[in-house]
Amino acid sequence: MTQNDVLEEFRSAGALLEGHFVLSSGLHSPVFLQKMFVFQDPARTERVCRALAQKITEAFGTVDYVVSPAVGGIVPGYETARHLGAKAIFVERENGVFALRRGFTIPEGARVVMVEDIVTTGLSSRECLTSLREHPGTILGAACLIDRSGGKADLGVPLVSLVQLDIPAYAPDQLPPDLAALPAVKPGSRDLKSK
Ligand SMILES: O=P(O)(O)OC[C@H]1O[C@H](OP(=O)(O)OP(=O)(O)O)[C@H](O)[C@@H]1O
Ligand SMILES: O=C(O)c1cc(=O)[nH]c(=O)[nH]1
Ligand SMILES: [Mg+2]
């Protein structure tokens, strides 16, 4: 799949939203990728995750465990793991901090890749990777469907993505006037999880 093919999947799923969005990081952006509109269609999800699995294999070789940050990472993590022949587990917030729960474990020597849906600042991915370092296994790297940081997000491990876009994101006190004029909506779930 080319970058355009992947973007076309998002576009035709109605997942490329324009307006005024407050992202999980608190940054404001005129664009939001509503990944759940992609993931509600299993056939579409299969197409993009098969392509991501191919990139992961090229970059990292065999993978035993895919670990994803909940909630957004769970569906693409599972589907990508299916194509890799790997297990799919996830971290979720416990008192606001990502942790492996539900009795999930990673065996000694397992080859681990973190799979995220979207990378903006990389904070969610870094938090996931930090929690994984407390467990056995070798972290080979990270992967995401769309890196909207334009390659600027530093996860501390190699990151492969299907699409790299440099989508503007602004601090709340630095909004361009045309963006400030629109009512802001906050589609993400980070606040919900910390309560
Ligand atoms: O790179 P970042 O600046 O961390 O932003 C990207 C993160 O934001 C979204 O998750 P969100 O926290 O909105 O929750 P969700 O996964 O439950 O949708 C998305 O799923 C990524 O995890
Ligand atoms: O940064 C985010 O919170 C974010 C951006 C985006 O485009 N899509 C998403 O689900 N989260
Ligand atoms: Mg997320």
Side-chain angles (χ1 to χ4, degrees):
M1 269 185 141
T2 64
Q3 291 216 99
N4 268 342
D5 293 336
V6 178
L7 277 179
E8 190 47 42
E9 294 282 8
F10 274 73
R11 204 173 283 119
S12 52
L16 273 183
L17 308 181
E18 290 181 26
H20 179 180
F21 304 97
V22 184
L23 307 179
S24 274
S25 49
L27 298 177
H28 292 232
S29 179
V31 175
F32 189 80
L33 300 154
Q34 182 44 278
K35 68 266 177 158
M36 295 303 177
F37 287 176
V38 172
F39 303 153
Q40 71 180 335
D41 181 339
R44 199 188 293 284
T45 307
E46 177 178 21
R47 288 193 290 276
V48 295
C49 291
R50 187 194 299 119
L52 189 62
Q54 269 168 15
K55 276 209 152 182
I56 289 172
T57 302
E58 284 162 22
F60 305 124
T62 60
V63 176
D64 302 312
Y65 274 71
V66 166
V67 187
S68 299
V71 175
I74 294 178
V75 172
Y78 173 89
E79 183 60 14
T80 304
R82 197 167 73 82
H83 292 283
L84 289 169
K87 294 277 192 290
I89 61 176
F90 53 88
V91 296
E92 54 197 311
R93 294 195 188 273
E94 192 169 51
N95 301 319
V97 179
F98 276 140
L100 282 181
R101 297 170 68 180
R102 303 170 194 269
F104 282 146
T105 55
I106 301 174
E108 206 70 55
R111 294 169 60 83
V112 179
V113 168
M114 193 216 60
V115 170
E116 174 64 290
D117 47 359
I118 312 285
V119 168
T120 303
T121 63
L123 177 61
S124 182
S125 300
R126 283 192 297 275
E127 288 178 343
C128 177
L129 289 161
T130 297
S131 76
L132 291 183
R133 291 195 182 96
E134 292 170 13
H135 295 272
T138 304
I139 301 170
L140 305 171
C144 67
L145 297 176
I146 299 194
D147 171 7
R148 49 171 293 169
S149 81
K152 293 192 284 278
D154 181 5
L155 305 191
V157 298
L159 171 66
V160 296
S161 62
L162 285 184
V163 177
Q164 199 179 84
L165 293 172
D166 198 352
I167 302 179
Y170 305 96
D173 59 353
Q174 287 170 10
L175 300 189
D178 53 337
L179 191 58
L182 299 173
V185 293
K186 188 170 192 310
S189 72
R190 185 168 301 186
D191 279 358
L192 300 178
K193 283 177 290 192
S194 63
K195 282 178 186 146

